[in-house]
């Protein structure tokens, strides 16, 4: 227990400091083949349509403060000038896909904006928007960003322009951290506890918010460092944005549990004098999510289910696959409920859409986008096509694919379609030759041997690189790298190929994955200070069931061998009792049970457990200090703790 670490996924990956580029920048320019690919897109898409720019500027009231937001230790939490090189009206650099560059120009438009009378948004002060809704007595804050520090600056900006008002309510649209992490920058525990401020959230919010960041949190956070490009410099050869927003802030992630739970579609709540009608959307963009309509404002909140991008039905950082069919049905339900009434649709990323006709078009095109991905994938897989065959040859109708809001700036057609295949059929393509393939290193050694050795592979791969066949170069040279990770020529050639693929990528996360991979192939993994991602609020919000499940994840069965143990936990403050049994290389736990023959019984408070998890107190000290009372064989507890793994953050990704 005393060694437990919990990683908060996307929320805290920005705590990783970007390594400085080497004095001699190894990055290449855009190759001629890359220029041709990007130039072709300029002719395919309607770049002369500037409606999005008009809308992204509409309602502008005040610029963000120019000062860099820093933490107590002096670390940068948010730099408002970080993307100053992304200038509206400038043509795309040769090293950036022109469609992604257009998206980056749009999401870099920052400040306080009026959505409609009494509804305001803070944009580009974090990955997400913060929405502020004026009621009869104060304001309701929707989705207070990732960090308390950025949320506080956002509120100060609003108050400076609209006057000081009490925060009567906070609403979390869904269970991802960029939509609740800054809540303590907006309200205090005291105001919530006293009833001065209510916090609304969809059913299942707290469980989903905590669980996703715990069970696979370490791996997700490491992969998220690739997805959001936090290890890359912000420049035309590096990170230019993340599709949903420019990047994530690096401040204090907080969580105050909701006081009021929305449970069903059609539920109405009067919040600070305004009438909200809710639509439940679980399992769409998040496990717990909701949309709503404010009757007095004729305004629809789309949360993250209808933004100005194709979203992820699978996140490249890793997450449970999201279902496009229910997603499309929720948007259809929104159209049925509010399509004739909505005069503006706003979301917690990007900019609003005004006018009923435009609002309906956005919702319809987004609805049909996710429906088409679901239905066409199923049609093709029922014809016997495999995951990669379907994804490779998947084409949207122009009416959907050339609609700017449907472009793949965050998700992509390829990985969303692949995820939909896996959702229905799993990872196996049905061909027995792929049922039990060799593991990567062993397979790579044999591939390289069969192809005539590393030098022969690299000679052929260089010809493919010169011909602009970068996907194949990355695929084949990857085997040389895995067969011999010290082959720097192979690492450099794969890096060059990945880099060109990054320059071509329309999706921000794809670009960031490619370029981060290239950087690590050239320079190795920079083991920077590991981010302290154990959010105290997240730990305190964990159920005991989730806590003991996570202990089971950390159990190293190889170390435990044939060991057995029987442990009682008795929580004196909550009355909860848990029996934990080690046997057969697994940890099982049973609530509301104590074993008469337990090896050891621990009596403690939940707060004492939280302190141990957070590293505020060592277990031995807690026992000697009386915070934990222990009866039985303490050595047995020590033995069990010794079987628990800690997870390295900086594990290799592009090398074995």
């Amino acid at each position: 227990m005393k060694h437990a670490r919990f990683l908060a996924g996307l929320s805290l990956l920005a705590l990783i400091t970007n390594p400085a580029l080497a004095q001699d920048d190894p990055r290449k320019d855009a190759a001629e083949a890359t220029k041709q690919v990007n130039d072709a897109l300029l002719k395919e898409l309607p770049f002369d349509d500037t409606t999005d720019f008009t809308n992204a500027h509409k309602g502008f009231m005040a610029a963000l403060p120019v000062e860099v937001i820093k933490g107590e230790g002096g670390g940068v939490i948010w730099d408002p000038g970080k993307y100053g090189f992304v200038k509206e009206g400038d043509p795309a650099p040769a090293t950036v896909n022109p469609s992604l560059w257009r998206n980056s120009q749009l999401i870099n438009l920052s400040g306080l904006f009026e959505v409609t009378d009494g509804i305001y948004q803070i944009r580009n002060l974090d990955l997400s928007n913060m929405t502020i809704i004026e009621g009869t007595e104060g304001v309701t804050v929707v989705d207070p960003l990732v960090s308390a520090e950025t949320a506080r600056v956002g509120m100060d900006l609003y108050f400076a322009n609209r006057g000081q008002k009490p925060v009567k309510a906070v609403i979390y649209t869904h269970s991802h951290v960029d939509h609740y992490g800054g809540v303590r920058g907006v309200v205090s525990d005291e105001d919530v506890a006293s009833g001065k401020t209510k916090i609304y959230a969809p059913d299942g919010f707290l469980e989903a918010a905590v669980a996703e960041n715990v069970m696979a949190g370490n791996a997700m956070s490491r992969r998220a460092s690739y997805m959001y490009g936090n290890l890359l410099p912000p420049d035309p050869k590096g990170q230019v944005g993340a599709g949903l927003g420019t990047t994530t802030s690096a401040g204090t992630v907080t969580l105050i549990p909701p006081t009021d739970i929305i449970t069903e579609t059609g539920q109405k709540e009067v919040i600070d004098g305004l009438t909200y009608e809710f639509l439940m959307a679980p399992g769409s963009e998040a496990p717990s999510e909701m949309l709503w309509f404010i009757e007095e404002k004729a305004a629809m909140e789309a949360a993250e289910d209808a933004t100005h991008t194709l979203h992820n039905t699978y996140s490249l950082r890793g997450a449970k696959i999201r279902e496009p069919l229910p997603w499309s049905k929720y948007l259809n339900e929104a159209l049925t409920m509010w399509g004739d009434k909505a005069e503006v649709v706003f979301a917690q990323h990007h900019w609003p859409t005004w006018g009923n006709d435009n609002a309906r078009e956005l919702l319809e095109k987004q609805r049909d986008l996710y429906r088409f991905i679901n239905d066409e994938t199923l049609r093709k897989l029922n014809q016997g096509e495999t995951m990669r065959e379907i994804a490779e040859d998947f084409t949207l109708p122009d009416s959907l694919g050339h609609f700017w809001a449907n472009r793949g700036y965050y998700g992509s057609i390829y990985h969303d379609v692949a995820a939909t295949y896996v959702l229905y059929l799993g990872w196996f393509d049905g061909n027995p030759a792929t049922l039990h393939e060799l593991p990567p290193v062993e397979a790579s050694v044999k591939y390289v041997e069969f192809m005539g050795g590393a030098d022969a592979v690299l000679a052929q791969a260089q010809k493919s690189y010169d011909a602009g066949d970068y996907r194949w170069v990355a695929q084949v040279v990857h085997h040389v790298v895995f067969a011999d990770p010290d082959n720097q020529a192979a690492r450099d050639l794969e890096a060059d190929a990945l880099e060109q693929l990054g320059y071509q990528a329309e999706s921000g996360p794809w670009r960031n994955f490619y370029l981060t991979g290239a950087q690590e192939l050239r320079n190795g993994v920079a083991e920077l200070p590991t981010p302290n991602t154990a959010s105290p609020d997240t730990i305190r919000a964990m159920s005991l069931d989730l806590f003991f499940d996570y202990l089971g994840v950390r159990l190293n069965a190889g170390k435990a061998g044939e060991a057995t143990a029987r442990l009682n936990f008795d929580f004196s403050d909550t009355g909860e009792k848990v029996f934990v049994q080690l046997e057969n290389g697994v940890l099982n736990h049973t609530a509301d049970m104590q074993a008469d023959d337990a090896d050891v019984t621990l009596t403690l408070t939940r707060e004492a457990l939280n302190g141990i998890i957070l590293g505020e107190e060592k277990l031995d000290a807690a026992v000697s200090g009386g915070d934990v009372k222990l009866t039985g064989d303490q050595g047995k507890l020590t033995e069990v703790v010794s079987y628990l793994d800690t997870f390295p953050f900086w594990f290799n990704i592009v090398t074995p």
Side-chain angles (χ1 to χ4, degrees), residues 16 217-229 231 314 316-318 440-441 444 474 478-479 481-482 485 491 494 498 509 512-522 524-527 648-656:
I16 304 165
N218 189 66
M220 289 171 64
S221 290
R222 174 70 172 111
R223 287 169 51 155
S225 72
Y226 269 58
M227 179 172 169
Y228 290 94
L231 304 176
Y314 165 72
L316 298 182
R317 66 183 167 90
V441 172
S444 290
H478 156 82
H479 291 301
V481 172
F482 265 59
R491 294 170 70 116
E494 184 184 347
L498 292 177
N512 293 336
F513 257 91
Y514 285 133
L515 298 185
T516 304
Q519 181 172 276
E520 289 194 359
L521 283 164
R522 288 169 176 152
V525 177
E527 295 195 9
F649 185 83
W650 296 110
F651 57 78
N652 292 347
I653 292 179
V654 289
T655 56

Side-chain angles (χ1 to χ4, degrees), residues 4-8 11-12 15 146 148-149 177 180-181 183-184 189 206 209-210 213-214 251-257 531-543 547 606-616:
R5 292 176 64 236
F6 300 91
L7 295 167
S11 59
L12 298 164
L15 291 175
V146 171
E149 293 86 350
V177 74
Y180 66 77
V183 66
R184 292 187 193 272
D189 288 280
L206 196 60
V210 174
N213 291 328
V214 170
T252 307
V253 175
T254 61
L255 173 61
I256 300 178
N532 178 19
T533 55
S535 163
D537 287 341
T538 300
I539 299 303
R540 294 188 178 95
M542 290 176 66
S543 67
F547 169 72
R606 177 60 199 268
E607 192 57 33
L609 176 65
N610 292 339
I612 294 168
I613 298 170
L614 292 167
E616 297 169 352

Side-chain angles (χ1 to χ4, degrees), residues 381 384-389 421 425-435 437:
L381 71 81
E385 294 185 45
T386 63
M387 179 186 76
R388 294 197 182 276
E389 288 171 338
Y421 179 98
L425 290 185
W427 60 268
F428 178 45
D429 64 6
N431 185 337
T434 68
L435 181 59
E437 294 180 326

Side-chain angles (χ1 to χ4, degrees), residues 321-489:
I321 292 171
R322 304 158 189 174
E323 298 190 52
L325 182 57
W327 193 328
S328 73
K329 290 185 175 183
Y330 296 136
L331 292 178
N332 192 59
E333 195 167 5
L335 279 161
T336 301
M337 295 172 67
W338 312 313
D340 294 335
K341 301 186 290 185
E343 292 300 328
V344 62
V345 173
F346 62 96
Q348 295 309 114
H349 296 276
H350 302 145
W351 52 95
T353 299
W354 287 271
N356 184 257
D357 289 345
N358 298 326
R360 287 190 63 90
E361 181 185 34
L362 174 69
L363 296 173
E364 289 168 352
K365 291 289 179 67
Q366 289 262 295
R367 173 198 66 189
D368 294 348
L369 174 66
Y370 298 109
R371 182 83 197 215
F372 189 90
I373 288 172
N374 182 83
D375 292 359
E376 184 70 357
T377 302
L378 282 170
R379 185 183 72 82
K380 287 176 172 287
L381 71 81
N382 277 307
Q383 293 178 329
E385 294 185 45
T386 63
M387 179 186 76
R388 294 197 182 276
E389 288 171 338
I390 299 169
E392 184 69 23
D393 194 34
F394 198 97
T395 304
L396 293 173
D398 286 352
S399 58
L400 295 178
H402 289 181
F403 186 63
W404 282 117
N406 285 359
R407 301 299 299 181
Y409 302 120
Y410 194 56
S412 77
I413 287 294
Y414 190 98
H415 80 250
D416 280 3
V417 167
T420 304
Y421 179 98
V422 174
L423 174 69
Y424 287 104
L425 290 185
W427 60 268
F428 178 45
D429 64 6
N431 185 337
T434 68
L435 181 59
H436 194 200
E437 294 180 326
L438 294 175
V441 172
E442 187 176 346
S444 290
V445 169
K446 292 182 178 295
Y447 273 121
V448 173
E449 180 186 352
F450 270 51
M451 289 186 289
D455 290 345
V457 176
L458 293 180
Q460 288 293 107
Q462 184 63 56
K463 294 178 183 177
S464 294
Y465 180 90
D466 294 339
D469 196 357
Y470 307 122
R471 288 175 65 187
W472 173 242
V473 174
Q475 185 174 340
V476 72
V477 177
H478 156 82
H479 291 301
V480 182
V481 172
F482 265 59
D484 180 11
D486 294 328
N487 189 325
Q488 192 60 48

